[in-house]
Amino acid sequence: HFLFALVLLVVSCAAAGHGADRLRIAYSSISGAYTGIWVAHDAGFFAKEGLEDQIILIPSATQLAQVTVAGDVDIASLGGGPMIAATLSGADLKVFGNNVNKMIFSLHAKPEIKSIEELRGKRIGVSRFGSSSDVSARYALRKFNIDPQKDVVLMQLGSMSNMFGALRSGAIEASMVSPPTQFLSEKLGFKELVSVTDMNYAYPNTAMATSGELMRKKPDLVDRFMRAY
């Protein structure tokens, strides 16, 4: 009986190991918008769906869209703008979900800047042109009749940590921030000039996408990802 039980245990473990499918999941920023991915990982939801998840940070939504099309990433969680732009340029990308239906950003500035109008002629940090932070900044500025092309200097700094680091060092006067960086910024005394979150700006932030090829050949992987997520 013991030998029979042992054989069953070995066979079941081998079957479980064989049944696990690797799934490379990439996200484009350290932000609260991507919390669901980490929760699903830490809680073992991906494993319960037979997925061996590999979570990767690629701090550029534009680059993430490219590597997803190339097949280097299976699932991408990124801002809707770069993904839509890539699709319009001919990329074979398919959107199958959305994390948040609005922008979650605030425009923070040095304490001596009291209003958004005082940003005229000043430098504002965004990650990259066309990114969610860039779209948010331009939307907020236009709401206060500030031309983002002429009245301010928008600077591409690559990542949220770089953006906030530049604000702390004084290299720029203001920056877009999102949770959890937003909480640190407030703690350190930087001033919120406007909350884009409170504006309820409808936007796919962030979208979940995959390549058209994976969607056609392995739709079950997407289904299992969604059940875990």
Side-chain angles (χ1 to χ4, degrees):
H1 293 292
F2 173 76
L3 181 60
F4 179 70
L6 181 61
V7 170
L8 282 179
L9 178 62
V10 171
V11 170
S12 63
C13 289
H18 180 72
D21 292 312
R22 186 180 66 159
L23 192 68
R24 297 161 299 181
I25 306 165
Y27 63 104
S28 61
S29 175
I30 298 176
S31 167
Y34 304 95
T35 302
I37 293 174
W38 288 106
V39 170
H41 171 81
D42 292 344
F45 295 151
F46 291 128
K48 289 178 182 178
E49 289 294 333
L51 298 173
E52 181 186 338
D53 59 296
Q54 179 183 2
I55 300 176
I56 309 161
L57 171 62
I58 298 179
S60 164
T62 302
Q63 183 182 2
L64 177 50
Q66 294 170 350
V67 298
T68 304
V69 173
D72 296 326
V73 162
D74 301 310
I75 303 291
S77 187
L78 69 165
M83 183 278 306
I84 293 170
T87 303
L88 290 175
S89 298
D92 187 14
L93 281 174
K94 305 296 182 184
V95 176
F96 60 87
N98 190 44
N99 293 351
V100 184
N101 292 320
K102 67 177 182 178
M103 290 295 196
I104 304 179
F105 285 98
S106 289
L107 178 57
H108 280 202
K110 297 163 65 174
E112 58 266 29
I113 297 177
K114 305 301 182 184
S115 69
I116 193 169
E117 287 80 6
E118 293 180 28
L119 287 179
R120 294 180 186 275
K122 302 295 194 300
R123 298 160 295 184
I124 302 173
V126 299
S127 57
R128 294 184 185 277
F129 297 152
S131 68
S132 297
S133 62
D134 178 55
V135 172
S136 293
R138 294 173 191 270
Y139 178 79
L141 291 167
R142 290 192 184 102
K143 281 290 184 179
F144 290 86
N145 297 315
I146 298 174
D147 188 334
Q149 295 291 108
K150 300 178 181 178
D151 297 333
V152 298
V153 179
L154 293 177
M155 299 185 65
Q156 298 185 97
L157 299 176
S159 68
M160 184 62 66
S161 59
N162 288 349
M163 292 155 59
F164 185 60
L167 179 61
R168 290 185 67 178
S169 70
I172 57 177
E173 287 74 34
S175 177
M176 300 306 299
V177 293
S178 63
T181 305
Q182 178 180 342
F183 308 137
L184 176 60
S185 180
E186 292 170 350
K187 184 177 180 180
L188 294 177
F190 292 96
K191 183 178 180 62
E192 181 183 80
L193 299 181
V194 61
S195 170
V196 181
T197 306
D198 291 344
M199 289 180 170
N200 288 319
Y201 178 31
Y203 188 87
N205 179 47
T206 54
M208 288 177 285
T210 188
S211 67
E213 182 178 10
L214 186 142
M215 183 68 82
R216 289 186 293 271
K217 293 183 176 179
K218 298 180 179 180
D220 64 299
L221 286 182
V222 177
D223 290 340
R224 288 152 67 190
F225 170 85
M226 289 299 286
R227 287 199 296 269
Y229 192 83

